[in-house]
Amino acid sequence: MTAPSTVALTVNDRAYEKPVDPRTTLADFLRQELGLTGTHVGCEHGACGACTVLLDGQSVRACLMFAVQASGHAVTTVEGLAHPDGSLSPLQAAFREHHGLQCGFCTPGMLMTLTELLRDNPTATEAEVRDTLSGNLCRCTGYAGIVAAALDVLARLAPDVKGR
């Protein structure tokens, strides 16, 4: 048996320090040790995007990363997107309004991926939204509602931007 390591990180603005087996993925750590089950594990190969979280603001596949690699960093999961009072973020509300989810399995990864895009490129076009989502698989929606939700938020961020 491998000796445990200690992981010290911030998740959704809350500091944690816990012993962990060095082979534990970040996804398993978030789900099993912290009870943050919004991060889904689909393919365990990084191909589906269901496990996407933000590490220091950049999207990463939590199934491909060991928890010990996140030590000293800030992680944001889908649970961290809502406002402190529990109200939905604009993107989460747009997903609801535009029917951007059905079974919901891909939704956390989609939300995290789009959160990064909206923050980094508030003038993104529909083509850029679709390109950004190309690493996230959804088997239910056909992406129409997901793209519509992202474009709705983008329109609210920059209503005078043309070409959407």
Side-chain angles (χ1 to χ4, degrees), residues 20-26 28-29 32-33 65-68:
V20 64
D21 183 310
R23 299 171 294 181
T24 302
T25 66
L26 180 57
D28 287 341
F29 179 78
Q32 296 167 8
E33 297 298 322
M65 183 174 186
F66 292 118
V68 294

Side-chain angles (χ1 to χ4, degrees), residues 18 31 33 57 65 67 70 80 82 96 116 121 125 129 133 138 143 151 157:
K18 291 190 166 272
R31 293 179 61 78
E33 297 298 322
M65 183 174 186
R96 182 180 60 196
E116 180 183 26
N121 187 1
T125 64
V129 168
L133 291 175
C138 176
Y143 298 91
L151 293 175
L157 289 173

Side-chain angles (χ1 to χ4, degrees), residues 6 11 21 31 46 84 89 92-93 114 120-121 152:
T6 299
V11 180
D21 183 310
R31 293 179 61 78
S89 73
Q92 290 171 309
L114 288 170
D120 294 349
N121 187 1
D152 183 26

Side-chain angles (χ1 to χ4, degrees), residues 34-102:
L34 302 186
L36 298 172
T37 57
T39 300
H40 292 163
V41 179
C43 67
E44 297 188 70
H45 296 284
C48 73
C51 67
T52 303
V53 298
L54 300 181
L55 180 77
D56 296 333
Q58 302 300 307
S59 59
V60 298
R61 301 296 204 244
C63 74
L64 295 180
M65 183 174 186
F66 292 118
V68 294
Q69 292 174 292
S71 199
H73 295 278
V75 176
T76 305
T77 69
V78 69
E79 290 91 345
L81 294 183
H83 299 291
D85 67 1
S87 62
L88 299 177
S89 73
L91 183 58
Q92 290 171 309
F95 261 61
R96 182 180 60 196
E97 183 178 327
H98 293 279
H99 309 287
L101 61 122
Q102 286 182 19

